[in-house]
């Protein structure tokens, strides 16, 4: 019992905030941001633009791409930690926005930057159990909501956006979501978390040290579990938090630079939306092709980390 990818879509807000825009409002520089992170710009949602707006836009594009309507879907899972409303789930609100006329389950997963891997993990389990025919996974974040404009060490790092993938049940175990692994360690939560006043609190250097270890560890584990090596993988799409983390992880794993898909320069860190936005970018630009194998390792607040193997 497996799955196959039948549609994808993404949405980035219109407003682009460049490093030069940050130079005008805080003590930072394009040079520092590019050297330390690889980021050059990020998209910010309009003030009245919500996580549900972005998730619905990405979902609508994925449905269009798959030539389906929302009523053709059996389950919606949204990876997000930035919804403006505490409840109901973003997934349920998306059903309303897209005009679903049949009832179906929809829920959110809160795995921070690893959120989309958690969503893929759930979907794999549901397909393996034969419980759903078509599952839509959405990663949607409005990280700009959490920016502390007095803290330059975190303010420049994040962006907004959403991406969606639609998977359909398949009898082949060689397509779609091939394998997933997810982990968490609650003892380290203070390293990176949201504060009561909705700001990002992060010990950057400590988080960096964990990321460069746990991202390759998750990737190695899943390749070993699936019985493959770096040679069998066409693309590695690591969570887009920092170009230095991406390159060091990929090099540790033996991936040549041309197999690494990088969007951190364009989108910055969009947390749970980062990997699916990068995947959509790769598909839109003809980089990732049908049949290729993508490895997607991620790491984030929790601490959480994990990896997924997806055949396009
Ligand atoms: O997505 C979830 C996972 N998140 C991550 O994986 C992020 C992991 N951490 C990182 O990517 C990096 O630690 C950062 C990009 C956040 C920071 O880079 P760093 O090389 O670790 O810098 P640092 O925090 O050690 O700071 C170095 C210097 C400090 O100045 P002094 O004390 O050396 O004078 C900071 O005050 O850089 C300064 N600094 C800045 N300077 C200009 C910090 N932020 C900025 C800034 N502009 N925006």
């Amino acid at each position: 019992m497996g799955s196959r990818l039948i549609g994808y879509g993404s949405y980035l807000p219109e407003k682009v905030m460049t490093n030069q825009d940050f130079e005008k409002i805080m003590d930072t520089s394009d040079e520092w941001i590019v050297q330390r992170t690889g980021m050059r710009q990020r998209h910010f949602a309009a003030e009245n633009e919500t996580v549900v707006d972005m998730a619905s836009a990405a979902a609508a594009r994925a449905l269009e791409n798959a030539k389906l309507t929302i009523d053709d879907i059996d389950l919606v899972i949204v990876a997000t930690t930035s919804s403006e409303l505490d409840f109901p789930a973003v997934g349920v609100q998306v059903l309303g926005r897209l005009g679903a006329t049949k009832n179906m389950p929809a829920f959110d997963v809160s795995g921070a930057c690893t959120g989309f891997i958690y969503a893929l993990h759930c979907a794999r389990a549901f397909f393996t159990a034969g419980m759903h025919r078509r599952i839509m996974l959405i990663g949607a974040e409005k990280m700009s909501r959490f920016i502390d404009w007095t803290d330059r060490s975190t303010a420049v790092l994040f962006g907004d956006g959403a991406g969606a993938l639609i998977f359909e049940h398949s009898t082949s175990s060689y397509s779609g979501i091939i394998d997933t692994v997810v982990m968490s360690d609650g003892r380290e939560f203070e390293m990176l978390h949201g504060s009561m006043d909705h700001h990002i609190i992060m010990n950057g250097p400590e988080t960096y040290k964990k990321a460069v270890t746990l991202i390759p560890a998750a990737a190695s584990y899943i390749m070993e579990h699936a019985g493959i090596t770096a040679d069998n993988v066409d693309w590695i799409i690591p969570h887009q938090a920092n170009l230095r983390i991406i390159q060091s992880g990929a090099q540790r794993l033996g991936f040549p630079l041309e197999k690494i898909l990088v969007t951190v320069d364009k989108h910055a860190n969009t947390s749970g939306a980062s990997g699916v936005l990068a995947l959509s970018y790769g598909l839109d630009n003809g980089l990732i092709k049908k049949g290729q194998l993508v490895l997607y390792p991620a790491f984030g607040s929790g601490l959480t980390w994990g990896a997924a193997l997806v055949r396009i």
Side-chain angles (χ1 to χ4, degrees), residues 55 73-80 89-92 94-95 104-110 115-116 118-127 132 134-140 163-165:
I73 303 296
D74 303 310
L75 166 67
V76 175
I77 308 175
V78 181
T80 188
V90 172
V92 178
V94 168
L95 293 183
M104 70 184 92
F107 62 88
D108 299 351
V109 293
S110 169
F116 203 77
Y118 273 80
L120 285 162
H121 189 65
C122 295
R124 180 167 76 92
F126 287 126
F127 281 125
H132 293 282
R134 289 197 194 109
I135 303 179
M136 176 149 63
L137 304 179
I138 306 172
L165 302 180

Side-chain angles (χ1 to χ4, degrees), residues 152-168:
R152 67 176 181 173
S153 71
T154 54
V156 301
L157 302 177
F158 295 91
D160 302 335
L165 302 180
I166 301 172
F167 290 95
E168 185 172 71

Side-chain angles (χ1 to χ4, degrees), residues 12-296:
L12 287 161
E14 212 176 298
K15 183 180 172 185
V16 172
M17 181 91 175
T18 63
N19 294 350
Q20 288 75 14
D21 293 327
F22 272 101
E23 281 177 348
K24 291 179 199 143
I25 54 171
M26 62 177 65
D27 180 17
T28 188
S29 66
D30 175 54
E31 191 191 358
W32 189 94
I33 301 171
V34 172
Q35 271 182 11
R36 303 289 177 124
T37 71
M39 295 168 186
R40 292 180 186 275
Q41 63 169 50
R42 65 290 289 141
H43 291 253
F44 278 173
E47 210 170 323
N48 61 355
E49 193 170 30
T50 65
V51 171
V52 173
D53 292 333
M54 294 188 283
S56 303
R61 287 175 185 172
L63 287 168
E64 197 186 329
N65 180 254
K67 298 186 176 56
L68 296 174
T69 73
I70 189 66
D71 283 342
D72 297 316
I73 303 296
D74 303 310
L75 166 67
V76 175
I77 308 175
V78 181
T80 188
T81 45
S82 49
S83 175
E84 292 81 357
L85 298 185
D86 291 335
F87 53 88
V90 172
V92 178
Q93 295 181 69
V94 168
L95 293 183
R97 284 295 179 84
L98 298 184
T101 61
K102 75 169 198 197
N103 299 331
M104 70 184 92
F107 62 88
D108 299 351
V109 293
S110 169
C113 299
T114 320
F116 203 77
I117 308 288
Y118 273 80
L120 285 162
H121 189 65
C122 295
R124 180 167 76 92
F126 287 126
F127 281 125
T128 304
M131 288 173 69
H132 293 282
R133 186 166 138 72
R134 289 197 194 109
I135 303 179
M136 176 149 63
L137 304 179
I138 306 172
E141 302 280 13
K142 185 172 175 178
M143 297 307 289
S144 58
R145 285 187 61 223
F146 300 135
I147 289 178
D148 176 354
W149 294 93
T150 65
D151 178 10
R152 67 176 181 173
S153 71
T154 54
V156 301
L157 302 177
F158 295 91
D160 302 335
L165 302 180
I166 301 172
F167 290 95
E168 185 172 71
H169 159 84
S170 159
T171 47
S172 164
S173 54
Y174 295 102
S175 59
I177 312 167
I178 308 262
D179 205 355
T180 53
V181 58
V182 283
M183 291 289 165
S184 55
D185 180 355
R187 292 168 299 181
E188 306 272 14
F189 104 91
E190 284 185 341
M191 198 179 288
L192 171 56
H193 63 95
S195 67
M196 297 291 250
D197 56 353
H198 307 292
H199 285 147
I200 297 158
I201 310 291
M202 178 169 73
N203 180 332
E206 286 304 313
T207 309
Y208 186 98
K209 277 189 229 159
K210 286 283 181 187
V212 293
T213 317
L214 294 174
I215 287 177
S220 291
Y221 177 89
I222 202 166
M223 286 194 288
E224 199 181 319
H225 193 245
I228 59 166
T229 67
D231 289 344
N232 305 116
V233 176
D234 297 294
W235 288 98
I236 179 164
I237 307 183
H239 169 51
Q240 308 282 317
N242 184 320
L243 185 60
R244 289 186 293 144
I245 297 175
I246 292 171
Q247 288 178 339
S248 112
Q251 274 155 17
R252 275 189 202 206
L253 291 160
F255 281 96
L257 288 180
E258 58 271 18
K259 278 192 179 183
I260 315 171
L261 197 86
V262 175
T263 51
V264 70
D265 54 330
K266 299 170 193 63
H267 306 156
N269 182 349
T270 56
S271 190
S274 111
V276 62
L277 270 173
L279 183 64
S280 297
Y281 175 86
L283 289 164
D284 279 342
N285 290 281
L287 300 168
I288 303 177
K289 298 187 173 62
K290 193 91 196 131
Q292 288 192 322
L293 187 61
V294 173
L295 169 61
Y296 173 13

